[in-house]
Each structure stands twice: as structure tokens, then as C-alpha cells.
Amino acid sequence: MEKESKLHRYLKACTGYELRRMRVLLESPFFNLRPEILRVWDLIRPFFPSSESPLPTAEDIFAAAFPDQIMDIAKLRHLLSDLCRLIEEFWQLQQLQSRSDLQSQLLLQALADRDLDQDFDATMLKAQTQLLADPQRGAAYLRQRYDLAAQQHDHNVRSSNRSTQAGLQAALEALDEEYLANKLRLAAAAINRAIVLG
């Protein structure tokens, strides 16, 4: 394995905890249907996050992945690319787990796409209640408020419920608030930078 490779950079960026959890993802047939990736993982995992031992060579990795096959560099590159993709998916899942707002939005989209109106309404109410309970009213709050209002409006249009303008009005107000808050934040940063440079 080359030290400047994408896979090496990715593995060096992982914590020990992430590396342990990664194996759980690789064992899952929902994410990984290639047993050779798991064999490669078991070969290279002991070298990360840090080890004094020399890294396995490309030949070692290929032999672990495909025993009794002749070395094929294109096949190896494809395999390592797939492993990098799985690491990226793992990181995305970690980010998603820490973002309840994004989880709510994705669930609302899935419910709307399936025309589950009653469940959409219940989930929207829950998401709005959680948002209002959040004591932090920063940029993330304003963005989520807009996203929920826009989803509510889009759902109303799709379900031919055009009689209510609540979603549209809330989306317009939330968009104005988010825009002005971000413009003020960036203007303050520009002024601060000018003062520091001056």
C-alpha cells in the first residue's frame, strides 16, 4: 500500500473507534457484498491508526483478497476504490447520526414520495416541536426552520391542498430570516477582517 494513496490517507484520518466500527459495516451484507473487501480490511487494519511495521505491499493485499489468482493491478485498484467508497459511506452515516434535523428532513421526503400524508403530518409536527424546543437559535435553527416550511409547502402542493398558505408564508419568512442573518454574519466577518488587516 502506498503511503500517498487515497486509502492510506483515509485510514490515517480514522480514529481507533471508527476503525473498529468500520468492520461492523463491512460485515453487513446491506453495505458490502464483497467478502474480499473484508479480507483486505483484516490484513491492513492492524497497521492503523499507527504502527511501526511496514505496510503490506500491493501483492500482499491482492493475495489476501483473491487467493490463488494472478496479480491484476486493475482489479486491485477497483477493490481498493470500493473500500474507499465504503469508508466514505461510513463517514456519511456518522454525520447523519449526529444530525437529527437532516434525519427528519430525509424521513419527511421519503414519506412524501410515498404519499403517506398522515405519517408525513405526524412527523412534520414532531420535527417542528423539536425545533422549537431547541434553545440555540443560530444559523442551523434558521436553516432547519426554512427547510421544514419549504417541505410543508411542497407537500401541500403535491397533495393538492392549495387552500392553506401557512407553509408558503412560513417558508418565505424563514428564508428572509436566514438570508438576513447570514448576510449580517458575513458582513461582520468582512469588517473584522478589514480591522485586523488594517
Side-chain angles (χ1 to χ4, degrees):
M1 173 188 301
E2 298 173 10
K3 286 197 172 182
E4 300 304 317
S5 67
K6 180 178 182 178
L7 179 59
H8 186 268
R9 291 193 306 273
Y10 277 18
L11 292 171
K12 289 291 283 184
C14 288
T15 65
Y17 172 77
E18 288 175 326
L19 292 169
R20 288 189 299 276
R21 295 292 298 158
M22 179 74 63
R23 192 173 201 293
V24 176
L25 180 134
L26 295 176
E27 289 173 341
S28 168
F30 183 81
F31 295 101
N32 177 29
L33 293 171
R34 299 184 66 187
E36 58 271 19
I37 288 181
L38 195 54
R39 291 194 294 269
V40 168
W41 181 261
D42 289 339
L43 174 70
I44 62 178
R45 166 61 182 96
F47 296 90
F48 297 93
S50 62
S51 172
E52 299 301 320
S53 304
L55 293 169
T57 65
E59 290 77 12
D60 296 333
I61 295 171
F62 189 86
F66 308 104
D68 304 322
Q69 290 189 26
I70 298 172
M71 176 69 175
D72 181 342
I73 195 67
K75 194 171 185 178
L76 177 64
R77 285 185 181 144
H78 184 67
L79 177 75
L80 297 181
S81 176
D82 284 351
L83 180 53
C84 287
R85 180 186 48 78
L86 286 166
I87 293 171
E88 291 169 351
E89 286 183 23
F90 174 77
W91 287 338
Q92 290 168 353
L93 287 170
Q94 279 192 308
Q95 293 294 317
L96 183 59
Q97 286 177 339
S98 67
R99 295 276 313 272
S100 61
D101 59 327
L102 191 52
Q103 290 175 32
S104 295
Q105 290 172 29
L106 292 172
L107 176 57
L108 285 165
Q109 187 62 51
L111 294 170
D113 290 345
R114 289 158 180 81
D115 296 323
L116 296 169
D117 297 341
Q118 182 178 353
D119 301 293
F120 178 93
D121 293 339
T123 303
M124 177 60 77
L125 181 60
K126 180 180 176 185
Q128 289 171 336
T129 303
Q130 287 175 340
L131 178 63
L132 291 174
D134 186 0
Q136 302 292 327
R137 300 293 169 101
Y141 168 86
L142 294 172
R143 183 69 205 181
Q144 187 180 3
R145 183 168 169 249
Y146 166 71
D147 288 338
L148 289 175
Q151 278 188 299
Q152 179 72 65
H153 169 68
D154 292 345
H155 178 69
N156 289 344
V157 169
R158 266 196 308 265
S159 61
S160 299
N161 187 6
R162 292 185 173 85
S163 60
T164 175
Q165 291 296 312
L168 179 58
Q169 187 61 37
L172 288 169
E173 290 172 4
L175 184 60
D176 287 343
E177 287 179 15
E178 184 192 10
Y179 168 77
L180 291 172
N182 280 320
K183 186 162 185 178
L184 287 172
R185 179 179 61 82
L186 292 172
I191 292 168
N192 186 42
R193 186 170 189 274
I195 290 171
V196 169
L197 292 176

